[in-house]
Amino acid sequence: MWAKSLKHLGKTEVALKKIEQAIQLESSDRKTMLQRTMCSEEDIKQLRECLLLEMNQIPEQTSLDTEWLAGTNICLPQRMKVRADKVRKQHVKRLHRRPKKRDSIVEGSSKPQIDPSEYKRWKDVKENEKEKTSPQENQTEERQEKENDFNVEIVERQNSESDSGQASFSESEEPKKKPFTYEAPEYRHFETESESFSDSGFDTFDEKPHFEYPERTSVSKTSVTKTLSNSELVVSGITLTDRCEASLHPKPKKFETFKYQETLSNDELLKCLQSNKNRYKRCTVEIEFAHKAVCTNLNLADEVKEIVISGRSKCGKVFTDDEVVVEILGESKAQKNYTPRLKLDIAKETKDNIYGKIIGRLKKNRYEDIQHPVFICTWDDFSEHSMKPLCKTVPKINVSHTNCKHKYQVDLFSYDAERNVVEFQKTSTIDQAQKNAYCFLVAMIHWENMYPFGLILNVINTKGDVKTGLGILRLQHRVPCHYSKDATDATKLILQQKHQIDTRNKKVVQCFTISDGKQGAMEAAYSVKLIESRLYRIGIHIVDPTFIIKKGDAIDKEAEKRGTDFYVNKEVTPVYMVPERLSNELFSMEVGKVRKTLTVFFDVSIDPISGSVPENFKIMGTVERQIIEIEKQYKISDVQTLLKTEKMENEISILHGISKYLRKEREKNASFSTDINEMFPYEKNNFIDNLDAFILVKELHIFANQTVASFLFNKYPKCVPCEFHPRPPKNVFLKWKKSNEEHLDNTLFQLQDCELGPSAVCSVFNINPDRYKGLIPIQNNVWESMQESATSKQFGKLRLVMGADEVHPMQALGLENWIELQEKSEFKCSSPRGDHNHFALRVPMFTYFTAPLSRFIDLVVHRLIHAALDNHTEPPYTEDEIQRICGKMNQANRIRDQFRKSCLAFLFAHSLHSFPRIFNGFIQNVTNNDVELFFPTLRKLPRSSKILPINLMKSKHNPEFEKQVDFDRFFMTLKWENRIYSLKRVTKNSPKDCYLRIDPNQNVRFHHLKKWVEIIQALFSDKTKKIDSLMCTTDHHISNQQIRACWNTVNDVSSEVRGGNFAQQTCSYSLSFIYGQLLHIQMCADAQRGMLTPMPQLLDITPNVKICMQHTRDPLGVLTSTATTPAKEKYTAIKQYIDTWMPIFSMEVATQTVNGDSFTINDLPVTFRDGGGAFSLKHSFLEKRDIEFTSHSVDLLDIDEDGKDDQTDKKERFYMSGSDFLCIRCPLEPLNDIVSNFGKGAISPLKRYWIGHAKVHDVKYRTKKSEKVVGVAFVCHNKSPPIPVEMLNKKKECSVEILPKSDVCRLVILSLEMAISSING
């Protein structure tokens, strides 16, 4: 009645709203209302249709007072109609030079027959699909519905429905005429290679051979110029004459802008350390930012671990890794309550930071003997004419710019190594669009101001290829590439001589080798000999190069200088310590060769029944000289195959049994753990597939090194180079234990039976399982994988997945925090009463001797072994020499590890550049700036690759922080208000004003910790039946709705409502970010600091909610391009003006568009063509959702007045489509590799997306069977990944995010494009 009354009053819109509210009433309330008003549901529907019809009708124009309405727009439609009729009659078709036609947006196929089953991959589909079920199943479904609020469900829409967005065309027609065509350069597709990494006149990295000694000279009429390679410049630096150096120093100024405090001498510093140990600390410094450094206390027993240096004046003129003395200034103000701006990290000190200042340097550890070091630098975006070293040795370097006209130019200098001078060469302009693709070789000249002053010697274009990138990393880490001339000459001389091993009257042992696929010489061989019944003698034979390489010769000096091989992986050529040809021809253990070795022998008994070593058997090793002959070689994969298939006893199976026994004796129950760190996605070593074979070799080498360490210590207790790894202090252990869940330490596989502190041994058997309270999250796919393994009796596979702590959220974070707290292992000289314990390996003493061609410390150990075997009372090295060598080897190992870590991250980025993939990330920390993640197997990535900046998630409000119940941690909540549509998924209820909470734990299931402990105990005790009963029990897991964080949550959100009624277009939802929560992150590769770096690309929350961080992080890179021409005060022509300002305006438009609102259409069929594609939607679908793909009338850009003559009306009208940006996400088949298949996606889920960024190219409106349809064609950005073959010319269901430009931006761009088109003719 109310609606009828409003209708009679003419308030049609208000009446329609009342009808809609009546329809949405519950069935009981609606029945009561109908009885009270004496109306039927049919009456309400008829009234609704009548109101809709009345709203859509245009009222007829009655007599108007034209004089009163003069000057208004009321008559504009009629006037426009008259003008349009005149244009139609007077129009004469003329030839139009049309650009090359793009693929039409129209598909010449009939309506696609979409099989709905293809899309039923969602976990809640089954409950919605079941029709015929038993009463018991119905009760189960009702109970599950109460436990899980499935807010979004999949529906099947018929093509005949008015609100269905799917549409296709069977007819094809020519596109309407356009007045002009214009394509932005970044959206033009050429057959030639992209110019994004063009040389632009700069050098590219040219890898030189490692063996030849380089000499490059150029002869001119006046002098001979000796130039050095990039590698030589970085490794050796430059030397300048006094005259040249003086000319580069600035003239003294009257007023100094910045001045450092004077530092103390070494004697004064030592006095300070002795006089007040609480105030002065001996530390090593690490520069983090331009005005911040962190000093690490060298006194491990001191409670003060780190001291923060804040302010450039307090940091002083020091390099990273320098040994300095720090004066403590005080502590920060007490923070009793949590402040989100301060990063909360449970792995670090919970007390306040301690601040100080550097008062002097005791020792310079980097570039100690180099007068003017050369750094690899990148462009500094925040300071003009400044460069930032990649190695962070110094904060930044101000470079010479005397000849530069603007801030985008650099002065290039050349260095003459013959005359020791630098000379100005030229001034070059840096393309700002490609600035991240360049690296600069900068020589540091002096440090007399806030930052050092330097000269740019070279500009290297990284090009984006692997070869150049690895070359840059070699330069950055100062990896030596060329051998010295003395080492090269000595190698040639040795190879010219004959080296025959005399085997007469000597015992030669027949051996075999195991190749793991690494490049380089084979250094180890093995032998198995039956001595008597069930007693075998095992030999571990290591090649002995000391009979050729003598102490102090040229090759030995070169080996000591390098310290180690620089190995990355099997695809990258290593940088060898010993010349490669020498190693391969004289020392490598090839089949048929006879070699001199140092051998560790041991006897072992094999049980005839079990085929393994008897319990408590004591294995003792001896060290001897031995001549061997290589009889055969096994590949690592062959060894694994023999262990799986060969049932008869052989030499490989015997070594396998011994290695299992050695590992069990050393690690106890920790031997059940699986270290998946070697599964780094770009390792490509098939580690998991050949796990038993790798463990076999590793355990034999650990035993050999341990045996040699004990042998040498008994002979020379004061000069054995041992690797030392201390146990963390007790207070560190207690703090770590307190920061994790109760009893979590006892469940970590890698720490089983490890004594973490005094009388504190981690073991799952420490307490009764009944005392384990609480719940533990397990990944859904991991639990399914373990269940399948238990059911099929594949307990080895179950142990493999279950023992990988890194794939279980809480265990992974607990283990990662424990690793961060430990100190790094390092070499030091032994002492008779010293502690030589190696905590990580769980051995009392450890050294290295199994790789004398790859590690210099092994070569030293070989010489010590010879002296001990010859019963020399004095070793070949003094105690001071050993201590000095240990220090140098620690530095070489740090460089090697950092170099390999950087190379693997770079190679991984290159693989992601072609094949982005999703990884599981566990939330490790949250702040009001970012979310820090831990990725299994991706520990080698830099921090920037493992954080989600909150500003890139485009949340509606600032993050909200709350404290977790029953634990001293905080979680963060983000809120969004977005328009999310779908062609398949709808919500049960219309979006509410309040924020719907998305379930944060949809990817895990919770189990009782007691049950998990019982399974671990059964695994350790080999109780397979109990494992089967516990894993395959009918007892269901804990429902997520029973977890506090999951209360009142939904599985997904959408603006789509069942029934098609839209109360509001915006959907409000929130998501909590909690410690240990599992997120799905797709990784891609972006250029950062001159190198490709893995970066988060997509946060995959639910099927409907996905956040692309790539276009938010770099809108200029993926939506448009960077302007390269600066604005001028005057312009000589219109074309020059437009060419200058069009890119600048495009940058502004892209930035504004990304920061504005967007809307997403999910499950949208998209047809992909080469370089673009198209999709179509019914007009009714768009109209109901208030979506508009705008077209502009070109004549609206004119400013003609109505009073012009009729000649103006003869002008033809054209329409140009809008150019909104698109972010398209298309599901792809998952990568079928080890990383994805491990634990059914425990590391990388079995899904991934093609993500391309595009621009709307054309919009067409057509009528198909009385239904108006809108077709949209798009063009992909040049930097979007190539469209895969499996997507080309096919219709794929995608998620399309539309980023609409503002009307003002559209019209301005259209005006500029029309002007460009007219200028170009």
Side-chain angles (χ1 to χ4, degrees):
M1 292 176 65
W2 195 355
K4 288 180 180 180
S5 302
L6 290 169
K7 177 178 178 293
H8 291 308
L9 292 173
K11 298 182 179 180
T12 310
E13 293 184 5
V14 182
L16 183 61
K17 288 183 180 179
K18 296 302 177 184
I19 290 293
E20 297 289 353
Q21 291 176 1
I23 293 175
Q24 292 181 10
L25 289 174
E26 297 292 337
S27 57
S28 59
D29 295 338
R30 187 164 61 249
K31 187 176 179 180
T32 305
M33 183 269 295
L34 292 174
Q35 290 176 355
R36 189 172 64 249
T37 58
M38 293 180 292
C39 295
S40 63
E41 291 192 12
E42 200 62 36
D43 295 335
I44 293 178
K45 291 181 180 179
Q46 289 179 2
L47 180 58
R48 180 175 178 270
E49 293 176 1
C50 181
L51 291 170
L52 287 172
L53 183 62
E54 185 174 332
M55 284 185 64
N56 293 328
Q57 288 178 349
I58 301 176
E60 297 181 1
Q61 293 291 341
T62 58
S63 59
L64 300 175
D65 189 349
T66 54
E67 293 182 1
W68 183 74
L69 294 174
T72 66
N73 293 330
I74 191 67
C75 298
L76 182 62
Q78 184 66 25
R79 192 161 61 248
M80 294 291 287
K81 184 178 179 181
V82 174
R83 292 177 64 183
D85 292 339
K86 286 184 180 180
V87 169
R88 249 185 242 104
K89 293 176 182 178
Q90 298 174 2
H91 173 60
V92 178
K93 289 189 177 181
R94 64 178 182 271
L95 293 175
H96 178 66
R97 188 169 296 175
R98 186 186 304 278
K100 186 176 179 181
K101 181 183 174 183
R102 285 189 171 274
D103 291 339
S104 175
I105 65 168
V106 219
E107 296 84 4
S109 59
S110 59
K111 291 184 178 181
Q113 298 296 325
I114 300 176
D115 183 6
S117 61
E118 293 182 12
Y119 310 99
K120 296 177 182 177
R121 297 189 294 265
W122 214 23
K123 64 179 183 179
D124 59 322
V125 174
K126 294 181 179 179
E127 283 73 30
N128 297 324
E129 286 183 342
K130 294 181 181 178
E131 295 179 359
K132 299 179 181 180
T133 54
S134 62
Q136 291 84 356
E137 290 175 338
N138 283 332
Q139 293 175 5
T140 304
E141 289 180 2
E142 291 176 4
R143 186 165 58 248
Q144 289 178 353
E145 279 193 16
K146 292 179 181 178
E147 292 178 352
N148 302 285
D149 182 9
F150 292 129
N151 183 56
V152 177
E153 59 187 3
I154 295 179
V155 296
E156 298 180 21
R157 289 178 171 170
Q158 302 298 326
N159 290 335
S160 60
E161 292 183 4
S162 60
D163 63 344
S164 175
Q166 305 178 41
S168 62
F169 300 96
S170 58
E171 71 275 6
S172 62
E173 58 184 62
E174 288 295 321
K176 295 180 180 179
K177 186 196 297 187
K178 297 182 180 180
F180 61 86
T181 57
Y182 172 80
E183 289 183 6
E186 61 270 17
Y187 286 95
R188 296 174 190 163
H189 293 266
F190 304 97
E191 294 182 1
T192 58
E193 186 180 355
S194 174
E195 299 179 0
S196 60
F197 293 103
S198 61
D199 291 347
S200 303
F202 296 123
D203 288 349
T204 55
F205 188 86
D206 188 14
E207 190 174 5
K208 306 291 190 233
H210 303 298
F211 184 73
E212 300 297 333
Y213 180 76
E215 290 183 357
R216 300 191 307 173
T217 58
S218 60
V219 182
S220 63
K221 294 181 179 180
T222 57
S223 62
V224 177
T225 302
K226 181 181 178 182
T227 59
L228 302 180
S229 66
N230 294 334
S231 302
E232 291 175 300
L233 286 172
V234 174
V235 173
S236 304
I238 64 174
T239 304
L240 300 177
T241 61
D242 295 339
R243 182 178 179 181
C244 179
E245 189 171 349
S247 67
L248 296 172
H249 279 260
K251 297 179 180 179
K253 298 180 181 179
K254 294 182 179 180
F255 303 101
E256 292 291 340
T257 56
F258 185 86
K259 190 174 182 179
Y260 284 100
Q261 299 177 5
E262 293 185 3
T263 57
L264 303 180
S265 64
N266 279 18
D267 293 338
E268 292 173 323
L269 293 174
L270 293 175
K271 288 181 180 179
C272 291
L273 290 172
Q274 295 173 359
S275 62
N276 192 339
K277 295 182 179 180
N278 292 327
R279 183 178 179 184
Y280 300 100
K281 305 293 180 182
R282 191 170 190 162
C283 306
T284 57
V285 63
E286 180 181 357
I287 297 174
E288 289 193 350
F289 306 106
H291 293 266
K292 180 184 176 182
V294 176
C295 294
T296 304
N297 195 345
L298 292 176
N299 184 4
L300 303 180
D302 200 326
E303 291 184 359
V304 178
K305 300 297 181 184
E306 288 185 349
I307 304 172
V308 177
I309 313 297
S310 180
R312 182 97 294 274
S313 62
K314 295 184 180 65
C315 293
K317 301 178 184 179
V318 296
F319 288 4
T320 292
D321 289 339
D322 282 356
E323 192 172 316
V324 298
V325 175
V326 179
E327 179 185 0
I328 295 178
L329 300 178
E331 299 183 2
S332 64
K333 295 180 180 179
Q335 301 287 338
K336 296 182 179 179
N337 298 321
Y338 174 77
T339 303
R341 295 185 183 278
L342 299 178
K343 185 172 181 179
L344 177 66
D345 193 341
I346 60 173
K348 296 181 179 180
E349 298 283 347
T350 55
K351 64 181 182 182
D352 302 320
N353 290 329
I354 296 177
Y355 292 86
K357 69 174 181 178
I358 297 174
I359 61 174
R361 175 168 55 193
L362 289 170
K363 183 180 178 183
K364 190 177 180 181
N365 289 323
R366 289 192 183 183
Y367 306 99
E368 184 178 2
D369 302 323
I370 298 177
Q371 182 183 9
H372 301 289
V374 177
F375 302 102
I376 296 290
C377 302
T378 57
W379 188 270
D380 186 3
D381 292 321
F382 303 101
S383 301
E384 295 183 9
H385 306 293
S386 294
M387 301 291 166
K388 299 172 70 173
L390 290 173
C391 58
K392 292 187 176 181
T393 301
V394 294
K396 62 175 69 176
I397 302 175
N398 294 328
V399 296
S400 174
H401 56 280
T402 306
N403 303 287
C404 297
K405 295 181 180 179
H406 54 78
K407 63 180 180 180
Y408 301 126
Q409 287 187 329
V410 293
D411 287 345
L412 295 181
F413 292 78
S414 61
Y415 172 65
D416 185 354
E418 187 71 25
R419 298 185 294 133
N420 292 334
V421 296
V422 289
E423 297 174 340
F424 173 75
Q425 187 177 9
K426 62 179 180 178
T427 298
S428 298
T429 302
I430 301 299
D431 183 359
Q432 287 301 293
Q434 309 300 332
K435 62 184 178 182
N436 288 330
Y438 295 107
C439 286
F440 304 85
L441 263 68
V442 181
M444 177 178 160
I445 304 302
H446 59 76
W447 195 341
E448 297 181 359
N449 210 319
M450 180 181 291
Y451 301 113
F453 172 79
L455 304 176
I456 298 178
L457 302 180
N458 204 352
V459 182
I460 303 175
N461 186 348
T462 60
K463 293 176 64 177
D465 63 338
V466 173
K467 177 183 175 182
T468 305
L470 292 175
I472 294 295
L473 290 174
R474 288 194 185 100
L475 295 180
Q476 175 188 340
H477 296 281
R478 303 179 67 220
V479 175
C481 293
H482 304 287
Y483 294 99
S484 66
K485 191 176 187 305
D486 292 341
T488 303
D489 294 339
T491 300
K492 292 178 180 178
L493 183 62
I494 291 172
L495 292 174
Q496 290 173 358
Q497 302 172 358
K498 292 185 178 180
H499 300 277
Q500 199 77 21
I501 298 177
D502 186 10
T503 59
R504 291 174 298 179
N505 302 323
K506 294 181 180 179
K507 183 180 178 181
V508 178
V509 176
Q510 300 297 317
C511 301
F512 60 91
T513 60
I514 299 176
S515 172
D516 59 359
K518 290 183 178 180
Q519 302 179 54
M522 296 286 296
E523 300 175 83
Y526 314 93
S527 62
V528 178
K529 183 179 179 181
L530 180 64
I531 301 176
E532 56 185 62
S533 177
R534 312 310 300 174
L535 185 64
Y536 293 89
R537 171 157 292 180
I538 309 300
I540 305 170
H541 311 274
I542 308 301
V543 68
D544 179 23
T546 56
F547 73 98
I548 296 290
I549 304 175
K550 303 298 183 181
K551 178 186 176 184
D553 66 10
I555 298 177
D556 184 65
K557 289 180 180 178
E558 183 70 21
E560 182 180 358
K561 180 181 176 182
R562 296 179 175 228
T564 178
D565 278 358
F566 291 87
Y567 173 82
V568 179
N569 66 6
K570 293 184 288 186
E571 296 183 351
V572 180
T573 304
V575 177
Y576 297 105
M577 182 183 75
V578 176
E580 183 180 8
R581 188 179 169 194
L582 186 67
S583 298
N584 290 336
E585 293 188 15
L586 297 183
F587 305 127
S588 183
M589 293 190 176
E590 305 294 337
V591 175
K593 299 291 184 180
V594 176
R595 301 298 186 205
K596 290 183 178 180
T597 67
L598 291 176
T599 301
V600 173
F601 283 113
F602 61 92
D603 298 339
V604 62
S605 176
I606 303 296
D607 190 288
I609 299 176
S610 63
S612 58
V613 181
E615 287 188 23
N616 301 322
F617 185 87
K618 189 68 174 177
I619 299 179
M620 301 291 293
T622 59
V623 183
E624 303 176 14
R625 297 188 185 99
Q626 184 64 56
I627 297 176
I628 66 169
E629 182 179 6
I630 312 303
E631 187 178 23
K632 55 186 173 182
Q633 182 183 91
Y634 293 101
K635 293 181 179 178
I636 198 78
S637 56
D638 298 336
V639 173
Q640 188 69 27
T641 302
L642 286 173
L643 294 176
K644 286 185 176 180
T645 59
E646 189 69 35
K647 296 184 178 179
M648 296 181 60
E649 189 175 82
N650 54 58
E651 54 194 7
I652 296 298
S653 64
I654 291 172
L655 290 183
H656 177 57
I658 294 171
S659 67
K660 287 176 62 178
Y661 179 79
L662 291 173
R663 188 183 184 196
K664 184 72 174 178
E665 285 291 302
R666 183 172 61 88
E667 295 184 338
K668 304 296 187 295
N669 283 331
S671 60
F672 287 86
S673 66
T674 306
D675 186 4
I676 62 173
N677 288 310
E678 292 299 324
M679 284 179 63
F680 188 82
Y682 209 84
E683 288 279 9
K684 297 190 175 180
N685 54 13
N686 298 327
F687 176 76
I688 288 297
D689 287 348
N690 305 309
L691 181 62
D692 294 333
F694 277 108
I695 291 177
L696 183 153
V697 174
K698 177 183 176 182
E699 288 300 323
L700 291 177
H701 284 206
I702 289 176
F703 176 80
N705 289 326
Q706 184 183 356
T707 301
V708 168
S710 301
F711 171 73
L712 290 177
F713 185 74
N714 291 332
K715 188 69 178 177
Y716 307 118
K718 292 185 178 181
C719 60
V720 179
C722 297
E723 187 179 53
F724 172 68
H725 186 231
R727 177 187 287 110
K730 181 180 179 180
N731 62 332
V732 173
F733 162 68
L734 295 176
K735 186 185 304 178
W736 169 78
K737 188 171 182 178
K738 184 180 178 181
S739 66
N740 290 282
E741 278 69 10
E742 188 178 9
H743 305 310
L744 178 69
D745 54 325
N746 291 328
T747 64
L748 295 177
F749 275 73
Q750 290 193 32
L751 299 184
Q752 289 298 305
D753 299 313
C754 180
E755 189 176 353
L756 303 184
S759 304
V761 178
C762 283
S763 175
V764 76
F765 296 100
N766 277 348
I767 59 177
N768 191 289
D770 293 332
R771 294 180 57 187
Y772 285 94
K773 307 297 180 182
L775 303 173
I776 189 168
I778 306 294
Q779 292 189 53
N780 294 330
N781 45 359
V782 169
W783 185 259
E784 292 171 4
S785 174
M786 293 191 299
Q787 274 190 324
E788 291 176 3
S789 300
T791 304
S792 58
K793 310 300 181 185
Q794 296 179 341
F795 294 103
K797 186 177 179 181
L798 169 67
R799 168 184 169 179
L800 198 67
V801 178
M802 191 173 180
D805 290 322
E806 286 90 346
V807 302
H808 309 304
M810 304 309 294
Q811 294 93 314
L813 298 180
L815 183 63
E816 179 69 9
N817 295 337
W818 174 250
I819 293 173
E820 289 179 356
L821 288 172
Q822 296 185 60
E823 299 173 15
K824 294 182 179 180
S825 60
E826 59 179 16
F827 289 109
K828 70 174 187 178
C829 185
S830 63
S831 62
R833 297 181 181 181
D835 181 14
H836 308 103
N837 179 59
H838 198 294
F839 175 72
L841 293 176
R842 305 189 192 185
V843 294
M845 179 176 284
F846 191 78
T847 190
Y848 285 101
F849 111 105
T850 54
L853 301 176
S854 305
R855 292 185 297 252
F856 183 74
I857 206 79
D858 298 54
L859 201 60
V860 171
V861 169
H862 274 237
R863 294 190 178 113
L864 291 171
I865 292 174
H866 280 292
L869 293 174
D870 294 336
N871 292 320
H872 292 169
T873 55
E874 294 295 328
Y877 292 91
T878 65
E879 186 176 345
D880 291 338
E881 285 179 317
I882 293 294
Q883 193 66 45
R884 178 183 58 82
I885 290 173
C886 286
K888 294 182 69 174
M889 293 309 104
N890 289 332
Q891 181 68 14
N893 286 345
R894 280 195 293 270
I895 295 174
R896 177 199 62 195
D897 295 341
Q898 292 169 0
F899 170 69
R900 185 167 186 268
K901 180 180 178 181
S902 300
C903 288
L904 288 174
F906 170 74
L907 293 171
F908 178 49
H910 255 275
S911 67
L912 291 175
H913 193 60
S914 302
F915 302 101
R917 67 188 304 165
I918 296 180
F919 288 91
N920 292 326
F922 307 136
I923 295 180
Q924 189 174 18
N925 189 33
V926 292
T927 70
N928 68 336
N929 293 323
D930 52 51
V931 177
E932 187 174 350
L933 301 173
F934 169 79
F935 292 98
T937 74
L938 301 186
R939 187 176 287 140
K940 298 180 178 69
L941 296 186
R943 184 179 181 273
S944 60
S945 302
K946 297 183 286 187
I947 61 172
L948 304 179
I950 293 176
N951 63 321
L952 300 185
M953 299 190 203
K954 297 183 66 176
S955 59
K956 195 67 176 177
H957 305 284
N958 290 334
E960 299 176 0
F961 291 86
E962 296 181 43
K963 191 171 182 179
Q964 288 184 227
V965 179
D966 302 330
F967 210 83
D968 189 20
R969 288 198 193 101
F970 291 81
F971 68 92
M972 178 185 68
T973 301
L974 294 181
K975 295 180 178 181
W976 293 269
E977 294 177 9
N978 292 328
R979 296 165 62 190
I980 302 175
Y981 305 108
S982 174
L983 273 67
K984 281 186 170 294
R985 295 180 173 88
V986 300
T987 57
K988 291 182 179 180
N989 303 304
S990 59
K992 304 174 182 178
D993 294 333
C994 61
Y995 287 87
L996 295 173
R997 296 180 60 238
I998 296 178
D999 184 0
N1001 292 307
Q1002 296 188 61
N1003 301 315
V1004 299
R1005 60 182 67 179
F1006 288 84
H1007 294 269
H1008 289 289
L1009 183 59
K1010 172 188 173 183
K1011 179 180 179 179
W1012 181 252
V1013 169
E1014 289 177 341
I1015 296 173
I1016 297 176
Q1017 291 179 347
L1019 182 67
F1020 290 168
S1021 305
D1022 198 21
K1023 297 179 180 178
T1024 57
K1025 291 184 178 180
K1026 187 174 182 180
I1027 296 174
D1028 189 19
S1029 63
L1030 288 170
M1031 292 292 301
C1032 304
T1033 180
T1034 56
D1035 189 19
H1036 291 292
H1037 63 88
I1038 305 299
S1039 169
N1040 282 16
Q1041 289 295 325
Q1042 299 181 27
I1043 309 302
R1044 183 182 295 271
C1046 303
W1047 289 354
N1048 302 319
T1049 59
V1050 296
N1051 64 338
D1052 205 348
V1053 294
S1054 176
S1055 298
E1056 300 285 346
V1057 186
R1058 184 189 293 174
N1061 301 313
F1062 285 85
Q1064 59 185 41
Q1065 300 287 351
T1066 303
C1067 181
S1068 302
Y1069 57 94
S1070 67
L1071 177 68
S1072 297
F1073 294 83
I1074 309 169
Y1075 178 84
Q1077 180 181 336
L1078 172 60
L1079 298 177
H1080 288 168
I1081 309 294
Q1082 176 152 311
M1083 305 287 287
C1084 68
D1086 287 339
Q1088 301 285 330
R1089 294 173 62 87
M1091 301 292 292
L1092 273 182
T1093 306
M1095 298 296 287
Q1097 183 184 29
L1098 182 77
L1099 172 58
D1100 188 4
I1101 301 176
T1102 68
N1104 275 346
V1105 182
K1106 297 173 177 63
I1107 301 174
C1108 176
M1109 289 173 283
Q1110 189 178 26
H1111 67 250
T1112 314
R1113 177 173 57 242
D1114 186 20
L1116 305 184
V1118 298
L1119 297 180
T1120 182
S1121 60
T1122 305
T1124 57
T1125 305
K1128 302 178 180 179
E1129 293 184 2
K1130 296 181 180 180
Y1131 299 91
T1132 57
I1134 297 177
K1135 185 177 186 304
Q1136 186 185 28
Y1137 175 84
I1138 294 176
D1139 290 344
T1140 302
W1141 280 99
M1142 185 66 176
I1144 297 174
F1145 186 71
S1146 298
M1147 293 169 56
E1148 181 66 22
V1149 170
T1151 305
Q1152 287 185 8
T1153 303
V1154 165
N1155 293 331
D1157 294 331
S1158 64
F1159 54 91
T1160 304
I1161 304 176
N1162 293 302
D1163 311 304
L1164 175 61
V1166 178
T1167 302
F1168 290 93
R1169 309 292 186 195
D1170 189 17
F1175 58 87
S1176 54
L1177 291 161
K1178 291 186 177 180
H1179 188 266
S1180 58
F1181 178 89
L1182 298 175
E1183 190 175 35
K1184 186 172 287 189
R1185 290 155 183 82
D1186 196 20
I1187 299 174
E1188 182 180 9
F1189 293 97
T1190 309
S1191 292
H1192 303 282
S1193 175
V1194 174
D1195 68 334
L1196 291 179
L1197 301 174
D1198 298 336
I1199 55 174
D1200 296 337
E1201 297 179 359
D1202 295 336
K1204 288 195 175 184
D1205 54 18
D1206 294 339
Q1207 188 67 25
T1208 309
D1209 293 336
K1210 295 181 180 179
K1211 184 177 179 180
E1212 184 179 2
R1213 281 186 184 78
F1214 300 91
Y1215 288 86
M1216 296 295 294
S1217 58
S1219 54
D1220 295 334
F1221 296 119
L1222 305 176
C1223 177
I1224 305 171
R1225 308 138 193 175
C1226 181
L1228 294 174
E1229 289 296 323
L1231 296 175
N1232 185 20
D1233 57 10
I1234 299 174
V1235 176
S1236 294
N1237 295 332
F1238 183 78
K1240 296 183 67 175
I1243 300 171
S1244 178
L1246 299 175
K1247 60 179 178 179
R1248 64 190 180 103
Y1249 299 95
W1250 177 87
I1251 299 179
H1253 293 89
K1255 183 180 71 172
V1256 173
H1257 174 67
D1258 196 8
V1259 178
K1260 297 181 184 176
Y1261 297 87
R1262 300 181 183 176
T1263 302
K1264 173 70 174 178
K1265 294 182 180 179
S1266 71
E1267 181 72 32
K1268 197 173 182 180
V1269 182
V1270 180
V1272 180
F1274 59 86
V1275 186
C1276 290
H1277 194 280
N1278 285 339
K1279 289 189 179 179
S1280 289
I1283 299 175
V1285 178
E1286 59 267 28
M1287 289 170 53
L1288 283 174
N1289 302 317
K1290 296 178 182 177
K1291 186 168 288 189
K1292 296 285 187 178
E1293 286 200 353
C1294 305
S1295 172
V1296 180
E1297 182 181 0
I1298 295 97
L1299 295 91
K1301 299 176 183 176
S1302 66
D1303 291 338
V1304 174
C1305 291
R1306 286 196 187 103
L1307 292 174
V1308 173
I1309 289 177
L1310 199 57
S1311 302
L1312 290 174
E1313 289 177 354
M1314 186 169 62
I1316 293 172
S1317 193
S1318 63
I1319 292 172
N1320 295 333

